[in-house]
Amino acid sequence: EIIKKVEPDVIVVMGTSLIKDDIVNIPKLGILNMHTGVSPYYRGGMTNFWPFIYDDLEYCGVTIHKLDAGIDSGDIIYQGLVHILEGDTYSLINCKAIVNGTDLMIKAIKDLRLNKLKSVKQEASGKLFFNIDYNGYYAYKYITTYKHVLNNFIENNDSW
């Protein structure tokens, strides 16, 4: 009811739970989401963590997309990859993604205000993670392998 009273043109979210249709339909221009991860390849939670587990660091980044009823499945507006350096950790990479995503979100809002916002439908499917997926096994695997995964990525992507 509070959101309805405000009558927003747009709502911007990050790190949110699922938002129900009765809220999704309130803003005139929609809801934009900053997803720390590269959709559709990594959707859901902790999506810059899981590339460490799957030795997939090229998918660390951020996605700005239109929010829909799915989980990080709305049309993509902007994406940015994280420049990965020696010594980076999941937390640092995620922070870099948020900084990059903030710039991209500002750009998306400006485009929306100027009626120049463009987006593309997510066609590919990827991995979807829930909070329950993270457990002691994956924490241990990350702690014991992240340096190897990171160094391997840097060695094989010297132009990155």
Side-chain angles (χ1 to χ4, degrees):
E1 293 305 312
I2 293 170
I3 296 171
K4 283 181 184 176
K5 284 181 185 177
V6 174
E7 297 179 358
D9 291 331
V10 65
I11 294 174
V12 174
V13 298
M14 178 201 158
T16 184
S17 300
L18 287 177
I19 297 176
K20 302 216 187 273
D21 283 342
D22 54 336
I23 294 175
V24 170
N25 297 324
I26 293 174
K28 297 172 199 149
L29 302 175
I31 300 178
L32 304 181
N33 182 39
M34 180 194 306
H35 167 64
T36 51
V38 179
S39 284
Y41 307 104
Y42 284 89
R43 297 182 304 117
M46 297 179 59
T47 50
N48 282 320
F49 168 82
W50 295 106
F52 277 96
I53 301 302
Y54 289 96
D55 199 3
D56 240 359
L57 294 187
E58 65 271 17
Y59 291 108
C60 287
V62 64
T63 303
I64 306 298
H65 66 88
K66 294 179 180 179
L67 191 123
D68 65 11
I71 299 173
D72 300 320
S73 59
D75 294 352
I76 294 172
I77 300 165
Y78 291 115
Q79 287 185 312
L81 298 176
V82 172
H83 185 72
I84 297 173
L85 301 172
E86 187 176 339
D88 278 355
T89 61
Y90 156 66
S91 296
L92 186 54
I93 286 171
N94 213 46
C95 288
K96 289 179 182 183
I98 292 167
V99 169
N100 189 3
T102 301
D103 292 338
L104 293 175
M105 182 62 82
I106 290 167
K107 186 175 178 184
I109 293 167
K110 286 178 181 177
D111 289 348
L112 187 63
R113 289 183 68 204
L114 297 171
N115 200 29
K116 294 182 178 180
L117 189 71
K118 294 183 176 146
S119 61
V120 294
K121 197 167 233 18
Q122 293 193 47
E123 299 293 338
S125 62
K127 298 173 179 75
L128 174 61
F129 296 95
F130 298 95
N131 289 340
I132 196 167
D133 295 322
Y134 179 79
N135 57 38
Y137 169 77
Y138 290 114
Y140 177 79
K141 184 173 181 180
Y142 168 78
I143 290 167
T144 58
T145 65
Y146 85 91
K147 287 180 183 177
H148 172 75
V149 172
L150 182 70
N151 292 336
N152 186 48
F153 175 80
I154 290 170
E155 280 179 25
N156 293 312
N157 296 280
D158 56 4
S159 64
W160 189 257

